[in-house]
Amino acid sequence: MSVKTLDVIRKRLEERPDELRRARENGLKVVGWVGYNVPEEIIHALGFIPVRIAVGGDDRLVEIGARYASSKTCVFIREIVGAFAENKDPYIQQTDILAFDATCLQNYRAAEVIEYFFKKDVVVLAVPRNFHLDEAKEYFAHEANEFTRLLEERAGAPLDSARLAESVALYNDIRKTLKSIYTFQASKNNVISWEEVYDLIQAGELLDKREYLSLLTQTLDELKERQHYPVIASDDGDSRIFLSGSLIPRGDRKLISIIKSVGGRIVGDDLWSGILPHLDLDIKEISPAGVALGYLNRTPHAALPYLDLESDRRLKKLQECLSQFKAQGVIYHTLRYCDPFTFKAKETKNVLAKSGIPLLEIHTEYAGSDYEAMKTRVEAFVEMIKIKSEIAEEQSVLVDA
Amino acid sequence: MSLSGNYFAGVDVGSLAAKSVILKDGDIFATGLVPSGVNSVESGLNALNIALESAGLKQEELTYIVGTGYGRVSAPYANKAVTEITCHAKGANYLHPTVRTIIDMGGQDCKAIRIDQDGAVVDFAMNDKCAAGTGRFLEVMAGVFKVELKDLGAIALSATDTVPMSSTCTVFAESETISLVARGEKPENILNGIHHSIANRIAGLFSRVGIESDVFFSGGVAKNSGMKNAIEQALKVTIVKPEIDPQLIGALGAAVIARNFAKKEGLWA
């Protein structure tokens, strides 16, 4: 199932830290961003190099992070804090400025801790809780302007509208191409797996954006040449799993590898470290506020409150994705102390049960001690889906007969 | 000696015991149960050999073997491995087709399983990685009171009162128990409290998957009459009585699944 361009991307990722170092030596600045609603186009248009700071899967760093952040902070944030404390991550080492958003309040706390203990230059974008209200949108537009002003100060130049328009166009092309590639992974006789596309999405958090678009276009061309039209169907004998819940950043592949090892096939996700941030982003106006509002109007992060179950956009998007990718079950990943997603697990399960989609919650952290217990749960869930499919198939044969 | 018929085996290697069941066509023919050792392959084979010996069979006369339990990952003697969740569902359904809910309490974990009329799993939940509400927890408590594990339930049932136990962590519960003894509380009342504390924790698991009658109790802890009583009170249900040792249900389910696989693969008509 090898897609040649993916090898090129892997090689470019290996070279990227050195490339960033050289760029900084030539006077460019790197902005490391953390969050869900950071309008990356603004950072890019100001001439900074944006890289996403997202590390996971290392329990040792979590322990180091716990020396600075409360041990009740989610393991992802504790690991980020730990990575800053240790300062060995090549992207953290190359970061000049940090941009955080306050979508999740634990994210905001990390910004404070990193600024205080590690003397980093941190810019924070405030995010309204009741994001659907007009007053909240007005507030967010104001905060986006302030966020831009703080970055302009650091860039030493004002934001140019034409450059912002170019950045928005570039990012729109990236999102569009990613969405096309994503359809291929879920298809019958797929030549690219979900795992490969997930790595591809996360590669874009680090690589140069123009080069990334070019590599994505090559990947898509390769896929079209080998597969023509992707047909998504649930009758391919696979246990089609959809991954939801807390983010799964670079470095954390525990759950993903378990699902694969027990014969499950991931066909989609709505993780904020996956495809979700690239869906439904509609920038109506080329201005800092216009870009930021485009972000806020996407499917909201779980840290923002529910409206009501009937109109909740996050649940609606999840159901839409389940239908599009013909998923047969949801594995809902919750990280220890990631309250936004953990608190919503049961409601999500109850809503999906009404349409016959089973949900398994996997509550975990970065230690390896729960590996076998997780494997038993995931394996039993995959068995459950397989048995359900077999029964449905037998019944349809009987009806046909 | 050669016996006619088709034989299917299930081998369940758990953290504290290895169990086996051999089905002759559709009926339980032989069983085996041994304590688990460090080597899970050896433990599984020991349990299987006990059943084979009592049946007068050789391993090669078995048409199909399914391995389950934590030892399923290293069971070279098995044709296939299936999780204990699926196996307990099939085992309970084999004995009682009306069962819709299973509580499985083993040595190191506890599961709440909902099943349908065919014994297929509909939903399930497991305790988190700590030992609260498991056989290991009760083993530690038996050690504190210096009584046999098998007598724990009967002692709890003789209580005149229930001393509340606030800790669910095995280590904290052990020190809390020692404090209660030092305070002069009667051992049977403390043990009664321990059983109710575990039962309440199990009720929490069922809040995630729901309860539907009939309810079945499997696993090694199901032999504990005090635990059965406490769970019946906590869940407000009546648990159906198993015809065989409840510790064998996982292995029984594995044997039933072995028979199904053999049929599907054309090894048995």
Side-chain angles (χ1 to χ4, degrees), chain A residues 37-99:
Chain A
N37 283 306
V38 176
E40 207 185 332
E41 288 88 333
I42 295 173
I43 299 170
H44 186 264
L46 279 164
F48 293 119
I49 303 174
V51 296
R52 186 178 190 177
I53 303 295
V55 287
D58 188 341
D59 196 41
R60 189 185 54 82
L61 286 176
V62 175
E63 289 306 316
I64 295 173
R67 296 175 198 164
Y68 303 91
S70 156
S71 58
K72 299 287 187 289
T73 312
C74 84
V75 288
F76 166 66
I77 291 295
R78 268 185 285 156
E79 178 162 342
I80 285 196
V81 172
F84 272 94
E86 194 182 57
N87 198 30
K88 282 186 181 166
D89 180 275
Y91 295 99
I92 286 175
Q93 283 178 339
Q94 298 304 330
T95 297
D96 297 291
I97 301 156
L98 283 165

Side-chain angles (χ1 to χ4, degrees), chain B residues 154-163 185-193 196:
Chain B
I155 297 170
L157 285 176
S158 71
T160 52
D161 199 3
T162 306
V163 177
E185 297 287 356
K186 289 181 180 167
E188 61 271 28
N189 293 349
I190 300 171
L191 281 170
N192 195 27
H196 282 279

Side-chain angles (χ1 to χ4, degrees), chain A residues 104-367:
Chain A
C104 173
L105 295 177
Q106 298 200 39
N107 217 42
Y108 177 54
R109 176 47 58 90
E112 287 185 321
V113 168
I114 290 167
E115 186 177 37
Y116 181 79
F117 285 107
F118 313 122
K119 311 299 174 210
K120 293 286 176 185
D121 183 12
V122 178
V123 175
V124 177
L125 171 66
V127 179
R129 301 290 94 194
N130 296 306
F131 59 95
H132 55 289
L133 299 176
D134 286 342
E135 293 89 331
K137 285 175 183 165
E138 197 180 316
Y139 166 79
F140 192 56
H142 174 268
E143 289 302 310
N145 287 330
E146 178 60 10
F147 176 77
T148 307
R149 189 189 65 76
L150 292 169
L151 287 174
E152 282 172 336
E153 269 179 21
R154 285 153 176 84
L159 180 67
D160 179 76
S161 259
R163 284 197 69 177
L164 183 60
E166 276 174 32
S167 295
V168 168
L170 172 64
Y171 277 69
N172 279 342
D173 284 345
I174 288 173
R175 286 186 278 266
K176 192 178 160 195
T177 317
L178 268 180
K179 279 192 273 184
S180 299
I181 292 172
Y182 201 83
T183 313
F184 278 87
Q185 62 77 26
S187 66
K188 218 171 176 174
N189 305 319
N190 56 316
V191 292
I192 192 166
S193 67
W194 176 88
E195 289 83 351
E196 287 172 319
V197 176
Y198 195 65
D199 286 345
L200 185 65
I201 292 169
Q202 295 191 342
E205 299 167 356
L206 303 169
L207 293 176
D208 172 80
K209 297 297 164 184
R210 290 214 176 275
E211 186 192 7
Y212 182 56
L213 175 62
S214 158
L215 290 166
L216 286 181
T217 309
Q218 279 179 46
T219 306
L220 185 59
D221 289 345
E222 213 182 315
L223 292 174
K224 282 178 178 169
E225 195 183 308
R226 290 173 62 181
Q227 211 183 332
H228 306 292
Y229 299 105
V231 177
I232 300 176
S234 57
D235 60 350
D236 49 12
D238 290 320
S239 295
R240 299 175 68 88
I241 305 289
F242 190 90
L243 210 47
S244 187
S246 307
L247 87 169
I248 301 181
R250 298 188 297 275
D252 176 17
R253 291 294 182 266
K254 184 164 68 171
L255 178 58
I256 293 168
S257 70
I258 286 176
I259 295 171
K260 203 174 172 183
S261 75
V262 300
R265 178 183 168 194
I266 304 174
V267 294
D269 72 276
D270 67 349
L271 304 173
W272 61 287
S273 50
I275 195 67
L276 186 67
H278 303 279
L279 304 175
D280 310 324
L281 207 163
D282 182 15
I283 294 167
K284 291 190 165 66
E285 182 194 297
I286 303 298
S287 69
V291 175
L293 285 172
Y295 273 71
L296 196 69
N297 288 332
R298 292 173 307 175
T299 304
H301 185 278
L304 299 178
Y306 263 144
L307 304 177
D308 63 86
L309 287 179
E310 292 305 311
S311 63
D312 181 79
R313 296 211 314 259
R314 198 180 61 82
L315 277 173
K316 202 176 158 199
K317 190 74 207 170
L318 172 61
Q319 287 168 309
E320 194 185 303
C321 289
L322 292 174
S323 160
Q324 184 186 352
F325 300 116
K326 305 263 188 290
Q328 295 163 307
V330 174
I331 293 187
Y332 192 91
H333 165 255
T334 56
L335 281 176
R336 196 144 295 209
Y337 301 119
C338 173
D339 298 340
F341 286 99
T342 307
F343 289 168
K344 283 165 183 166
K346 195 163 189 291
E347 279 174 328
T348 307
K349 180 176 179 171
N350 292 344
V351 168
L352 295 185
K354 286 178 194 164
S355 44
I357 300 281
L359 179 147
L360 172 72
E361 184 189 353
I362 293 290
H363 192 59
T364 183
E365 52 192 335
Y366 294 153

